[in-house]
Amino acid sequence: AQKVTQAQTEISVVEKEDVTLDCVYETRDTTYYLFWYKQPPSGELVFLIRRNSFDEQNEISGRYSWNFQKSTSSFNFTITASQVVDSAVYFCALSEFGGSNFGNEKLTFGTGTRLTIIP
Amino acid sequence: ETGVTQTPRHLVMGMTNKKSLKCEQHLGHNAMYWYKQSAKKPLELMFVYSLEERVENNSVPSRFSPECPNSSHLFLHLHTLQPEDSALYLCASSQEKRGADNEQFFGPGTRLTVL
């Protein structure tokens, strides 16, 4: 069975500080995808990144960066120079190929980390 | 309208009521999903429809009844719910194709309160 653990329930940092959100996953598959989603107060989940299990290169997108470590089953997310607009709940998710004709329809989510950026 | 829309955004209902949640996607996707988001719990996948056929039903009580009349619309019919069913119900869609970029795109959700 697959599982995603986000041990940090809530984090608060002062604006402009860097912050890292942790994600640890469990899966028996060798082929899987990892995701991060952002859920602002408006409610909808906003897709941030998708990573496949064969690509361990770290990725940077503006102030966002992701560190995928297969050896520790972690996919951590760092925001540098945080801004108030970054305040949201962030979800890490995992999907496995189920052997069907479909792709990644079975997402397993973590419980989320509520990030508050203090002005 | 763009993306994934859901109506209503808020719903309060009694345990004996019948109501329906509506989801519409404007992305040309071929798969749609219903998730339940309760406080302090991970998002729970409820139903998956692909090409208008239900392909996943994660042991959801029969008081929740999904309907997918076409690839753009998804409904969740609610009947004799319980207070513990109060949650945020999220709809999502994706283009299901192995190996392709098939991220799920979410709607804003319907905040349901069962009295």
Side-chain angles (χ1 to χ4, degrees):
Chain A
Q2 48 188 345
K3 183 181 177 182
V4 176
T5 301
Q6 294 180 257
Q8 304 151 310
T9 305
E10 297 189 29
I11 300 176
S12 294
V13 300
V14 176
E15 195 173 19
K16 297 184 184 176
E17 287 185 355
D18 299 347
V19 59
T20 295
L21 309 182
D22 297 333
C23 174
V24 175
Y25 62 92
E26 295 175 29
T27 177
R28 296 177 186 170
D29 269 18
T30 56
T31 303
Y32 52 89
Y33 284 83
L34 295 162
F35 300 79
W36 276 96
Y37 282 88
K38 173 183 180 181
Q39 187 177 37
S42 54
E44 77 277 16
L45 272 76
V46 177
F47 166 77
L48 296 179
I49 190 172
R50 168 182 180 262
R51 208 83 180 131
N52 77 52
S53 51
F54 298 108
D55 184 1
E56 286 194 71
Q57 273 194 332
N58 290 332
E59 181 154 342
I60 298 175
S61 176
R63 297 184 296 106
Y64 295 171
S65 62
W66 290 270
N67 184 356
F68 178 25
Q69 296 281 346
K70 215 168 178 179
S71 59
T72 56
S73 298
S74 65
F75 186 45
N76 296 338
F77 172 33
T78 297
I79 302 174
T80 58
S82 60
Q83 300 175 3
V84 173
V85 293
D86 296 327
S87 297
V89 181
Y90 290 86
F91 291 92
C92 181
L94 164 73
S95 74
E96 299 172 338
F97 282 119
S100 69
N101 291 326
F102 307 117
N104 308 318
E105 73 275 13
K106 297 186 181 182
L107 282 176
T108 298
F109 283 85
T111 50
T113 297
R114 181 175 298 279
L115 176 64
T116 301
I117 308 300
I118 304 166
Chain B
E1 292 277 16
T2 58
V4 181
T5 57
Q6 289 186 244
T7 55
R9 293 295 309 276
H10 300 273
L11 177 63
V12 179
M13 59 187 289
M15 289 190 286
T16 57
N17 292 157
K18 288 184 181 180
K19 296 287 184 182
S20 295
L21 310 185
K22 178 182 176 183
C23 175
E24 185 172 359
Q25 60 96 0
H26 310 268
L27 301 168
H29 289 163
N30 60 8
M32 297 186 77
Y33 313 78
W34 278 117
Y35 287 88
K36 176 183 179 182
Q37 185 178 19
S38 305
K40 311 288 186 187
K41 294 175 68 175
L43 270 77
E44 302 169 59
L45 178 65
M46 300 175 71
F47 301 103
V48 179
Y49 275 82
S50 182
L51 300 174
E52 299 144 46
E53 289 190 18
R54 190 189 308 182
V55 297
E56 186 80 24
N57 176 0
N58 283 351
S59 302
V60 179
S62 59
R63 56 186 184 269
F64 295 92
S65 175
E67 178 190 1
C68 188
N70 55 61
S71 60
S72 299
H73 294 86
L74 184 65
F75 294 90
L76 187 62
H77 303 299
L78 315 173
H79 176 53
T80 58
L81 295 191
Q82 305 298 310
E84 60 264 29
D85 297 322
S86 298
L88 180 69
Y89 288 85
L90 291 161
C91 173
S93 71
S94 69
Q95 184 62 28
E96 292 303 321
K97 181 177 179 182
R98 185 177 286 279
D101 289 340
N102 43 16
E103 296 79 33
Q104 293 181 24
F105 293 82
F106 286 79
T110 295
R111 174 69 63 185
L112 173 66
T113 302
V114 182
L115 301 177

